[in-house]
Amino acid sequence: MTEGPALYLRNGRVWTGEGDGLFAESIIIKDGIIEAVGTTADLDVHKLAKNAVVNELNGVTVIPGMSDCHIHVLTSAKWMQSVDLSNTKNCADMQALLREKSAEISPDTWIYATSLNEMNWDVKVMPEASDIDNIGIPNPVLIHRICTHATVANTKAMEEAGIYSMDLPGIRRDKSGKPTGVLVEGAQLPVHDAMKKALYTRERLLAYLHTYLKHAASLGLTTLHSCSAKSLGMEEELGLYQRLYDSESLSCRVYNVHDELSVPSMGGVMGNDFVRFEGFKLFLDGSIGARTAAMSFPYADDPTTKGMYIHETEELLEKLTESTRRRDHILSHAIGDGAIDQLLNVVASVCKDGASPDYPYLLNHIEICRPDQIEKMSKLPVACVIQPTYVYSDMDMIPERLGENEKYACVWKSLTDAGIILCGSSDNPIEDLNPLMGIWSLVTRKSLDGKRVWKEEEKLSLEQALHVYTTNPAKAYSTWQWNGSISEGKAADIIVLDRNIFEIPADELRDVKVSNTLLAGKLSFGNISGWESYK
């Protein structure tokens, strides 16, 4: 913690997030704790003000530190260093980038490419191994689709991973039975394991994480709830974060859930306020982009499928019961309304059998949600983790995939009006990490070009949107007693923005920048003369 004088943030528009008196003007911080919040007149005569380091805010907005409640931190750090395919428009663009990367590295080095979204291509068809093989590069290549539920591997990568000798349901095959290179869900894991062993040293991962966490802090994020999804090639390593913490260079709090029940049982939350194991992550279905999200109705653009369920209900009940017994935080991936039906029925069964969760069951994504399901949620101990940027990223795909059933998509206000806690997240690397883009999406419901509004009736107010990223996560994850608002005695996780967001048009919210991020009172982003920063 910072020793010596206090820090005095003076003359701002402080949105505290707490109680009826939501706004204040100034804050005094000492030893990582918020010592005083109130009017400038009152704090000017506070005992700590005289010798404090003073930062004049000049009327800009200050808010509590923001949380990302579902993110894949280590994977995102790797994606920052990968070949970015997000701007490709066709297979030729992809091939050019892979050829360029191959020319920079040795022939036996793996190429990791990410953010493939064939729905943005001129011809909306997933590439296959032959499309990579045909460019004649010697490297094993792994391409992660934007949803992370599908991977494309070239022949060299499949050979090194042993795919040709495997019989996994997610290996897509041609008419002769030969793997095409498209691997979905659990069938991705062998190629990801092979790449990990060849490419990622411990020191390389630490460097990747340090860069990524600094980036997250620059966007106003102070807490990242990261998911280890080994089954999709997106595992976490808690020890890496602990090492950064020990060296005083961890610039965000990082809390992990894992997609396997721990052996031995961790017994719920373990760790400290900066690095901790939180609990269990369940995958119930896939993604809408890959048509593997489980629906109660056929996909409009492929009536032969309703998606896929990852667990039989009996198995799901067994896992949820055990993780509840262990007092875990439980995060459940359910995108389609069919998966939500399965999850809500299992939660109701667990509660009916007398289990009492320490924390609300966290329903993640909840992208396609019917009114009857919202009513059922309101009667169960649940909270929802949502990705608000789905509004602009999925608003064109969902009508194509779901037809008339798009009416059930991204119904954030309906959930809020039902009294269900919503927690914001990016699911980065899948969506934009910037929480201010999420706030803009919740408030405007606009396409990325700003020209179209999707479901205007589902807009949230600015303050409702701020709660989604600040106070609600603290309440859902049971840290409210010590953070989540700008209140005396709480940890000084605080964001200083570059303007007063309560006096600008809603369309400008996505242009707002972070000037300073304070994590436990120390600067994780920005500069204040005379004040301490993380390394």
Side-chain angles (χ1 to χ4, degrees):
M1 298 302 163
T2 304
E3 297 179 358
L7 175 63
Y8 185 11
L9 302 176
R10 189 173 183 272
N11 283 326
R13 178 72 162 156
V14 180
W15 186 81
T16 66
E18 175 118 53
D20 295 330
L22 288 178
F23 290 95
E25 294 176 329
S26 299
I27 310 165
I28 294 178
I29 298 163
K30 172 73 172 171
D31 295 333
I33 301 298
I34 299 169
E35 290 287 341
V37 183
T39 67
T40 302
D42 286 342
L43 268 60
D44 275 348
V45 296
H46 191 280
K47 62 183 180 181
L48 294 174
K50 183 177 180 181
N51 296 314
V53 171
V54 179
N55 185 44
E56 289 289 346
L57 299 170
N58 298 313
V60 301
T61 297
V62 179
I63 62 174
M66 291 186 280
S67 294
D68 192 313
C69 292
H70 177 66
I71 184 173
H72 305 278
V73 175
L74 184 55
T75 296
S76 297
K78 294 174 182 176
W79 279 43
M80 278 189 81
Q81 312 296 331
S82 70
V83 178
D84 182 6
L85 302 180
S86 60
N87 293 320
T88 58
K89 296 300 180 184
N90 47 52
C91 189
D93 287 350
M94 176 197 77
Q95 291 171 326
L97 289 174
L98 295 178
R99 190 181 294 112
E100 181 181 319
K101 181 65 177 179
S102 178
E104 299 171 356
I105 58 179
S106 63
D108 59 346
T109 299
W110 281 70
I111 295 176
Y112 183 39
T114 58
S115 298
L116 168 69
N117 188 354
E118 78 286 355
M119 296 303 293
N120 292 333
W121 282 12
D122 301 333
V123 179
K124 298 176 173 57
V125 177
M126 279 275 284
E128 297 182 347
S130 59
D131 296 304
I132 308 171
D133 296 342
N134 288 343
I135 62 177
I137 61 176
N139 312 80
V141 178
L142 186 160
I143 301 173
H144 226 160
R145 193 184 184 277
I146 185 67
C147 66
T148 72
H149 289 262
T151 290
V152 183
N154 68 347
T155 296
K156 183 70 177 294
M158 288 192 287
E159 287 174 347
E160 293 202 14
I163 290 294
Y164 289 102
S165 63
M166 297 179 183
D167 184 20
L168 298 172
I171 300 175
R172 299 279 170 86
R173 301 177 184 274
D174 62 20
K175 292 181 180 179
S176 71
K178 180 182 177 182
T180 65
V182 177
L183 310 167
V184 300
E185 306 301 340
Q188 302 174 91
L189 188 57
V191 288
H192 284 270
D193 279 346
M195 181 181 69
K196 174 187 173 184
K197 292 174 184 176
L199 191 59
Y200 296 124
T201 65
R202 184 173 179 82
E203 292 308 314
R204 177 176 287 172
L205 292 179
L206 283 167
Y208 284 5
L209 282 173
H210 186 263
T211 298
Y212 181 78
L213 293 174
K214 285 288 187 183
H215 173 57
S218 76
L219 299 174
L221 289 162
T222 54
T223 302
L224 307 176
H225 295 270
S226 190
C227 171
S228 182
K230 184 179 180 181
S231 59
L232 298 178
M234 299 192 293
E235 70 279 4
E236 280 287 4
E237 295 186 40
L238 271 173
L240 295 174
Y241 303 104
Q242 186 63 40
R243 183 165 168 183
L244 291 174
Y245 173 72
D246 290 341
S247 64
E248 297 184 2
S249 54
L250 185 74
S251 47
C252 294
R253 304 180 194 274
V254 182
Y255 302 160
N256 280 181
V257 292
H258 294 252
D259 63 344
E260 296 175 332
L261 284 168
S262 58
V263 179
S265 169
M266 296 285 193
V269 172
M270 292 186 68
N272 55 44
D273 290 342
F274 286 84
V275 180
R276 68 170 55 166
F277 167 84
E278 280 193 313
F280 186 43
K281 166 71 181 286
L282 275 163
F283 283 94
L284 276 75
D285 65 347
S287 71
I288 295 175
R291 296 188 190 85
T292 52
M295 305 294 180
S296 65
F297 46 81
Y299 279 83
D301 60 350
D302 185 359
T304 66
T305 184
K306 295 182 180 180
M308 63 181 291
Y309 294 87
I310 293 176
H311 299 284
E312 295 292 338
T313 299
E314 185 175 334
E315 177 192 12
L316 184 61
L317 177 60
E318 180 181 336
K319 289 187 174 183
L320 202 68
T321 299
E322 172 60 16
S323 52
T324 301
R325 184 195 69 78
R326 293 183 180 199
R327 305 302 181 188
D328 287 336
H329 281 284
I330 302 169
L331 181 73
S332 298
H333 167 121
I335 288 182
D337 73 316
I340 295 171
D341 278 334
Q342 185 186 40
L343 178 58
L344 293 178
N345 288 338
V346 168
V347 168
S349 294
V350 172
C351 293
K352 183 179 179 181
D353 289 342
S356 177
D358 281 8
Y359 318 103
Y361 295 102
L362 298 166
L363 313 185
N364 187 34
H365 303 304
I366 314 300
E367 190 168 4
I368 310 302
C369 189
R370 307 186 310 267
D372 62 293
Q373 293 175 319
I374 295 175
E375 182 180 0
K376 190 168 185 177
M377 285 183 208
S378 68
K379 299 174 183 176
L380 292 169
V382 303
C384 292
V385 176
I386 63 168
Q387 293 72 46
T389 56
Y390 279 176
V391 169
Y392 64 75
S393 64
D394 287 3
M395 68 188 299
D396 292 320
M397 178 184 67
I398 286 180
E400 181 178 323
R401 288 282 192 270
L402 305 187
E404 65 177 13
N405 290 307
E406 73 158 300
K407 62 189 176 185
Y408 301 131
C410 302
V411 287
W412 311 143
K413 188 172 188 299
S414 297
L415 287 159
T416 299
D417 289 347
I420 297 164
I421 291 178
L422 301 187
C423 302
S425 79
S426 65
D427 203 4
N428 196 237
I430 297 167
E431 296 288 327
D432 193 330
L433 179 63
N434 187 355
L436 288 162
M437 285 298 293
I439 289 169
W440 173 79
S441 293
L442 288 170
V443 173
T444 69
R445 301 281 305 196
K446 286 192 173 183
S447 58
L448 200 53
D449 62 12
K451 296 179 180 179
R452 293 173 292 147
V453 177
W454 191 37
K455 299 184 181 178
E456 187 163 5
E457 70 279 6
E458 292 292 340
K459 289 180 179 179
L460 296 188
S461 70
L462 175 55
E463 288 198 40
Q464 286 175 321
L466 288 172
H467 281 295
V468 168
Y469 281 92
T470 58
T471 64
N472 288 358
K475 292 174 181 177
Y477 285 89
S478 300
T479 63
W480 179 247
Q481 69 274 17
W482 61 269
N483 83 342
S485 66
I486 298 177
S487 310
E488 292 180 10
K490 288 193 174 184
D493 292 0
I494 292 172
I495 310 304
V496 179
L497 301 175
D498 67 351
R499 67 198 77 178
N500 184 347
I501 62 174
F502 296 95
E503 293 183 351
I504 62 174
D507 283 343
E508 294 180 16
L509 286 168
R510 63 175 171 175
D511 300 323
V512 174
K513 299 292 187 290
V514 173
S515 298
N516 298 110
T517 301
L518 291 158
L519 176 66
K522 285 173 61 174
L523 285 162
S524 56
F525 174 72
N527 296 296
I528 295 174
S529 180
W531 202 247
E532 187 177 3
S533 300
Y534 289 93
K535 296 177 183 177

